[in-house]
Amino acid sequence: MANATLAARDGEHWAAKLKDVGFWAEWAALVGLVVLVIVFQALNPTFLSPGNITSMLLAAAILIVLAVGQTFVIATAGIDLSIASAMTLGAVVFGQAYTAQWGLALSCVAGVLAAALAGLVNGMLTAWGKIADFIVTLGMLSAASGLALILSDGKPVTIIDPALLALSTGRVGIFGYSFLIAIAVAIVAHVVLFHTRFGTHVLATGGSPESANAMGISTRRIKIAVYTISGVLAGVGALLLVARVGAAEPASNTSFLLNSVAAVVLGGVSLFGGRGTIIGPVIGALLLVALVNGLTLLGVSQFYQPLAVGVVVVLAALLTRFQR
């Protein structure tokens, strides 16, 4: 009798949860991903083939890294519009260093440092210059893109290196090395954001800067730190991008910027700061890649794909209003 009563109460509890819009808002990205997988697999059986899964995970790797960097910034109620341009700058600096015979290791360091410097400048101008992050990062978007074109003279640099080739083609089962690196970045970010004092300070800064300052938290340093982290991860994304395409391209791809913000919104991170998650943006990135991949397999024109992504992101943003 007691067991039956408990079961009935559990059933009522979950029934109430399922009726609560806030519950669906919390799990929007995961539910959306599951629905997409079911629909696309039903419409095209090759969607869940091992080869296509590997392809999607590799395509998601760069976006996951960028989305994690964007999460740290957005958790402080900021936004980094220059993340894709910083990645392009990092790729170009890497290509120039590699061409100058710096060696792979030093070239990688140079590329990451270049992107990190862009992030550091963003943070310093935002924190110390008290300029709106939207304006600062918009300016950096243009500046980094221009600098990348100047350094490369507008020409891509082909890079053929066995280590980069292994990074782009090597895998463990269905998981490519690039994807495994992205997951490692996400795990480290999760630990930093939720299991360190720094992570607590990041969320406190986003929740209420005044209260954070009153508690002795240096919100300026936190702002500088999160933008620098975003820059560093843009540099990591640059290395993955060069490995994937086999060249350092000076042309900035704005879709990475839009999708990095979209993945964060889909993942349930509050654009007003103070609320963050790492697994959410990771799932959001996977959802966006799965959506584009599935539409491609169905033969839908690529002109409609940005429209589909935009609709999904707006719906996700609408759902976040109901988050608890």
Side-chain angles (χ1 to χ4, degrees), residues 21-39:
V21 179
F23 172 82
W24 294 105
E26 295 283 343
W27 298 97
L30 182 59
V31 171
L33 180 59
V34 171
V35 170
L36 282 182
V37 169
I38 293 173
V39 170

Side-chain angles (χ1 to χ4, degrees), residues 267-280:
V269 178
S270 172
L271 293 173
F272 300 104
R275 179 190 181 93
T277 170
I278 297 298
I279 190 172

Side-chain angles (χ1 to χ4, degrees), residues 110-150:
V112 173
L113 285 179
L117 181 60
L120 177 62
V121 172
N122 283 336
M124 293 183 70
L125 289 175
T126 302
W128 295 102
K130 296 185 182 299
I131 307 174
D133 45 30
F134 181 88
I135 300 300
V136 170
T137 58
L138 184 62
M140 182 57 73
L141 181 156
S142 181
S145 297
L147 187 56
L149 289 169
I150 292 170

Side-chain angles (χ1 to χ4, degrees), residues 222-316:
I222 294 298
K223 279 280 189 179
I224 293 172
V226 295
Y227 279 102
T228 304
I229 289 172
S230 180
V232 169
L233 293 183
V236 174
L239 302 182
L240 297 179
L241 180 62
V242 171
R244 184 180 175 192
V245 302
E249 299 276 356
S252 180
N253 189 338
T254 55
S255 67
F256 280 117
L257 163 62
L258 300 176
N259 287 343
S260 71
V261 176
V264 174
V265 172
L266 284 168
V269 178
S270 172
L271 293 173
F272 300 104
R275 179 190 181 93
T277 170
I278 297 298
I279 190 172
V282 170
I283 295 175
L286 292 173
L287 187 153
L288 291 173
V289 172
L291 175 61
V292 172
N293 180 273
L295 291 175
T296 301
L297 288 179
L298 294 179
V300 176
S301 170
Q302 63 179 1
F303 300 138
Y304 292 95
Q305 293 175 7
L307 173 63
V309 171
V311 170
V312 169
V313 172
V314 171
L315 290 176

Side-chain angles (χ1 to χ4, degrees), residues 3-323:
N3 289 337
T5 303
L6 287 175
R9 287 179 179 175
D10 285 342
E12 292 173 359
H13 172 73
W14 282 105
K17 271 186 171 293
L18 292 176
K19 292 178 182 179
D20 182 11
V21 179
F23 172 82
W24 294 105
E26 295 283 343
W27 298 97
L30 182 59
V31 171
L33 180 59
V34 171
V35 170
L36 282 182
V37 169
I38 293 173
V39 170
F40 285 138
Q41 177 62 17
L43 295 175
N44 191 322
T46 62
F47 181 75
L48 286 181
S49 64
N52 194 54
I53 292 175
T54 299
S55 176
M56 285 192 290
L57 295 181
L58 286 174
I62 298 171
L63 183 55
I64 288 172
V65 172
L66 296 182
V68 169
Q70 194 74 260
T71 296
F72 275 92
V73 174
I74 290 179
T76 62
I79 191 167
D80 188 356
L81 299 179
S82 67
I83 193 166
S85 295
M87 180 174 70
T88 300
L89 177 61
V92 166
V93 169
F94 169 80
Q96 296 300 311
Y98 189 84
T99 304
Q101 305 297 320
W102 282 27
L104 181 62
L106 280 178
S107 299
C108 289
V109 172
V112 173
L113 285 179
L117 181 60
L120 177 62
V121 172
N122 283 336
M124 293 183 70
L125 289 175
T126 302
W128 295 102
K130 296 185 182 299
I131 307 174
D133 45 30
F134 181 88
I135 300 300
V136 170
T137 58
L138 184 62
M140 182 57 73
L141 181 156
S142 181
S145 297
L147 187 56
L149 289 169
I150 292 170
L151 291 175
S152 64
D153 197 27
K155 300 173 183 176
V157 177
T158 302
I159 298 174
I160 301 175
D161 187 276
L164 292 180
L165 184 62
L167 177 61
S168 63
T169 60
R171 62 182 185 176
V172 178
I174 61 172
F175 304 106
Y177 289 163
S178 295
F179 179 74
L180 293 176
I181 290 174
I183 293 303
V185 167
I187 292 172
V188 171
H190 177 84
V191 172
V192 169
L193 192 58
F194 295 107
H195 299 283
T196 67
R197 180 178 297 179
F198 172 75
T200 302
H201 290 179
V202 167
L203 296 176
T205 298
S208 175
E210 296 80 10
S211 298
N213 278 320
M215 291 188 295
I217 298 173
S218 176
T219 54
R220 287 180 174 178
R221 290 182 179 177
I222 294 298
K223 279 280 189 179
I224 293 172
V226 295
Y227 279 102
T228 304
I229 289 172
S230 180
V232 169
L233 293 183
V236 174
L239 302 182
L240 297 179
L241 180 62
V242 171
R244 184 180 175 192
V245 302
E249 299 276 356
S252 180
N253 189 338
T254 55
S255 67
F256 280 117
L257 163 62
L258 300 176
N259 287 343
S260 71
V261 176
V264 174
V265 172
L266 284 168
V269 178
S270 172
L271 293 173
F272 300 104
R275 179 190 181 93
T277 170
I278 297 298
I279 190 172
V282 170
I283 295 175
L286 292 173
L287 187 153
L288 291 173
V289 172
L291 175 61
V292 172
N293 180 273
L295 291 175
T296 301
L297 288 179
L298 294 179
V300 176
S301 170
Q302 63 179 1
F303 300 138
Y304 292 95
Q305 293 175 7
L307 173 63
V309 171
V311 170
V312 169
V313 172
V314 171
L315 290 176
L318 181 63
L319 273 178
T320 59
R321 294 181 57 198
F322 300 98
Q323 283 181 337

